[in-house]
Amino acid sequence: MRAAFNAVERHGNVHNRKLISVSGLAVNSGIPEQPLGREETQKGALNRLNNLQEQLKESALKNLKKDKCFLVSFENGVIEEENKFFDIPCVIVRDIATGKDSIAWGEKICVPDEFVATCKAHNQETTIGNLFNKEFGWPAGSWHKFLHTKDRWVIMANAARTAL
């Protein structure tokens, strides 16, 4: 939620934070816990977005100003490029007024091959991040900062700003 709030705040050049309302809702991606490849990652983000809109259709969307309402979906996946593996977020933003989707990809973070191999051996049912946390004792959601210079939410916020 922090990434979505930051992206919307900067996109709208909003100086009064009280004018922004961001809510989070956990929805199913319909893909394995650790997506592999751009196609599977993007499919997960789109599935989340559609599931989110479906859940909100009955209540929340009816009460919102549709000209200023966006749905934001995030999905991190692992891709392979030039024989190296990278974690990368896919962000899809849907403008409720127009129904238009915008897709953006965030910064890539190189991940060691052995962690990807372990993930594959477990049928993608555990994430790369969970494997890092278990191996190194890092707090949940923090491994991006240990392997890169930015927190995960910052990487995702930058991608969301691009999508907006």
Side-chain angles (χ1 to χ4, degrees):
M1 285 194 343
R2 186 175 182 187
F5 184 90
N6 184 275
V8 170
E9 180 182 44
R10 290 187 180 200
H11 171 73
N13 197 21
V14 178
H15 300 290
N16 183 349
R17 294 177 142 225
K18 292 180 182 178
L19 297 175
I20 299 173
S21 175
V22 175
S23 299
L25 184 62
V27 293
N28 195 324
S29 68
I31 59 169
E33 187 68 23
Q34 178 60 72
L36 298 176
R38 283 185 187 266
E39 185 176 320
E40 190 169 66
T41 305
Q42 185 172 326
K43 180 181 178 185
L46 184 58
N47 288 349
R48 284 187 194 280
L49 191 66
N50 290 333
N51 291 338
L52 174 63
Q53 186 167 1
E54 191 61 35
Q55 284 193 21
L56 293 175
K57 225 180 237 184
E58 299 303 317
S59 58
L61 286 179
K62 291 179 182 177
N63 301 322
L64 296 174
K65 292 182 178 181
K66 295 194 177 35
D67 63 326
K68 296 181 186 199
C69 182
F70 299 94
L71 299 180
V72 182
S73 174
F74 298 93
E75 186 73 55
N76 273 61
V78 174
I79 62 169
E80 184 177 4
E81 291 182 352
E82 299 178 11
N83 298 316
K84 291 183 180 179
F85 291 101
F86 299 90
D87 177 83
I88 187 170
C90 177
V91 181
I92 305 179
V93 175
R94 179 168 293 158
D95 183 331
I96 295 301
T98 65
K100 180 184 173 201
D101 291 349
S102 299
I103 301 170
W105 293 86
E107 293 176 70
K108 300 180 290 188
I109 300 176
C110 192
V111 294
D113 297 359
E114 61 268 22
F115 287 90
V116 178
T118 301
C119 176
K120 288 179 179 180
H122 288 102
N123 298 316
Q124 298 170 252
E125 293 302 320
T126 187
T127 66
I128 297 293
N130 287 339
L131 294 173
F132 285 144
N133 297 343
K134 185 177 179 181
E135 178 76 17
F136 302 111
W138 295 337
S142 69
W143 72 265
H144 296 79
K145 183 84 173 183
F146 287 100
L147 295 182
H148 193 46
T149 59
K150 296 178 185 164
D151 286 317
R152 179 176 188 231
W153 78 267
V154 173
I155 295 167
M156 293 187 336
N158 289 339
R161 278 196 297 276
T162 301
L164 282 166

